[in-house]
């Protein structure tokens, strides 16, 4: 059973889906060992507490030394012995402190087909660019912004009538499926990082 | 019947497909009025001559003033009265001289899902990045590199076993279909550019 620490900043819709899918067996061999938030008001914390999951909150407001902040996180999560960290709408850039302690063991999901539209408001960026397809990407986290090795991607059409909300909802549905699949592959030991490429064994 | 000038630099596989599809009616309401090449050795010129199409060659070697070069092209193609210019593996960046004379009337096809992997060797870029999906994009040409408004896109999977050749072949098949569809939409008057977005009417 691999232990997963989930990092959130808001409602953490991907967090709740991951946890539900671990409970119902859609994701095999993984469990949530702790939920971390940089935001004391993150809506996902309520769900975590209701589910009896350990919760850690370290407010990031005013914390300018990102390395020191990440070192504090490392210390706080250590007792829960995570094998994997899943970012789920975690709004802070992760520094080398976390990345080297969890090399190829931090995942993120991004609502675009990276390397297109990294950073904030990816769905809005896609609509403004005028692409015909977008999607989502699960990737390992490096110290860049949404730049790490790609684990899985899913494609959705962008429709002429799309608003940001409509496109976001279409992508979010795929995010929930894709993130669960990626965590399942990690738990099964099926992911091997080779340079920038992630090899998936059956 | 709209008149199309096709610009090539090499074999022009998209050019031959466009011309064949205009002849056999897959593309309705369009014909090739002239073929332009900056390269006297472009393999596509042989096909053009065999098909009895007017051919214009202005060698670009040593031509550093791109605006002057493009002005010369403009003059050379004027007698054929093109409504549309289709770049088909044309390896020179087009300047504002051509772009303003043919505003939203120059199309290009690029073997990636733009804005991902613009420029040369898009398929190789995609493999090296490690994406799970790539594809091709037909877009109107502006003065940037593969940066104009997107007309159509098509998606193909990137397989673990893919070589650059295998991925390129899979994308090329889609290019042929997609470029023909885009030219047909243009000929039918169905494309309207609104800022960066291309609206397609039925």
């Amino acid at each position: 059973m691999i232990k997963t620490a989930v990092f959130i900043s808001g409602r953490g819709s991907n967090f709740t889906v991951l946890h539900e899918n671990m409970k119902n067996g859609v994701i095999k061999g993984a469990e949530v060992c702790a939920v971390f938030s940089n935001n004391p008001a993150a809506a996902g914390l309520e769900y975590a507490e209701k589910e009896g999951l350990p919760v850690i909150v370290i407010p990031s407001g005013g914390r300018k030394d990102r390395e020191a902040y990440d070192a504090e996180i490392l210390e706080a999560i250590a007792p829960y012995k995570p094998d994997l960290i899943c970012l789920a709408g975690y709004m802070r850039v992760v520094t080398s402190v976390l990345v080297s302690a969890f090399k190829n063991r931090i995942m993120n999901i991004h609502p675009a087909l990276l390397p297109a539209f990294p950073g904030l408001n990816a769905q809005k960026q896609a609509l403004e660019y005028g692409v015909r397809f977008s999607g989502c990407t699960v990737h390992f986290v490096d110290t860049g912004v949404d730049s790490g090795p790609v684990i899985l991607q899913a494609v959705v059409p962008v429709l002429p009538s799309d608003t940001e909300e409509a496109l976001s909802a279409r992508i979010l549905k795929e995010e929930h499926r894709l993130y669960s699949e990626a965590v399942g592959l990690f738990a099964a030991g099926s992911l091997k990082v080779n340079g920038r490429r992630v090899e998936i064994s059956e």
Side-chain angles (χ1 to χ4, degrees), chain A:
Chain A
M1 208 65 163
I2 70 145
K3 293 173 187 294
T4 307
V6 184
F7 285 24
I8 64 174
S9 294
R11 69 187 163 134
S13 110
N14 276 296
F15 151 50
T16 60
V17 169
L18 287 177
H19 180 60
E20 294 297 326
N21 282 343
M22 288 172 184
K23 287 199 300 179
N24 65 26
V26 168
I27 303 173
K28 291 181 177 52
E31 63 189 359
V32 174
C33 64
V35 178
F36 172 78
S37 175
N38 67 312
N39 171 15
L45 291 173
E46 202 176 320
Y47 169 84
E49 282 160 4
K50 201 186 71 198
E51 290 290 309
L53 296 168
V55 163
I56 306 158
V57 178
I58 306 178
S60 59
R63 297 293 299 265
K64 283 185 185 154
D65 185 339
R66 289 173 185 279
E67 280 76 14
Y69 182 77
D70 278 359
E72 219 173 293
I73 296 176
L74 264 187
E75 231 182 308
I77 63 175
Y80 305 96
K81 301 192 187 321
D83 303 294
L84 173 68
I85 293 173
C86 286
L87 309 185
Y90 182 65
M91 298 302 281
R92 272 177 83 90
V93 174
V94 155
T95 70
S96 61
V97 170
L98 270 167
V99 171
S100 29
F102 282 83
K103 190 163 167 55
N104 295 330
R105 293 193 296 144
I106 308 177
M107 284 187 189
N108 183 39
I109 188 153
H110 182 77
L113 291 174
L114 292 170
F117 314 123
L120 294 176
N121 304 122
Q123 302 94 335
K124 192 171 172 225
Q125 288 184 57
L127 284 175
E128 287 175 351
Y129 195 94
V131 290
R132 300 302 184 191
F133 295 93
S134 190
C136 52
T137 304
V138 184
H139 62 92
F140 283 119
V141 170
D142 62 16
T143 53
V145 174
D146 302 319
S147 59
V150 171
I151 302 166
L152 295 173
Q153 294 185 302
V155 178
V156 307
V158 178
L159 305 180
S161 59
D162 267 347
T163 58
E164 194 182 339
E165 290 67 33
L167 177 60
S168 299
R170 193 177 307 119
I171 292 173
L172 187 61
K173 204 175 151 189
E174 291 300 306
E175 287 179 47
H176 293 163
R177 182 184 64 75
L178 204 71
Y179 212 169
S180 295
E181 191 182 334
V183 171
L185 288 168
F186 184 94
S190 302
L191 300 179
K192 193 183 151 197
V193 182
N194 185 356
R196 267 209 65 83
R197 296 175 68 168
V198 180
E199 295 165 4
I200 303 176
S201 54
E202 299 303 320

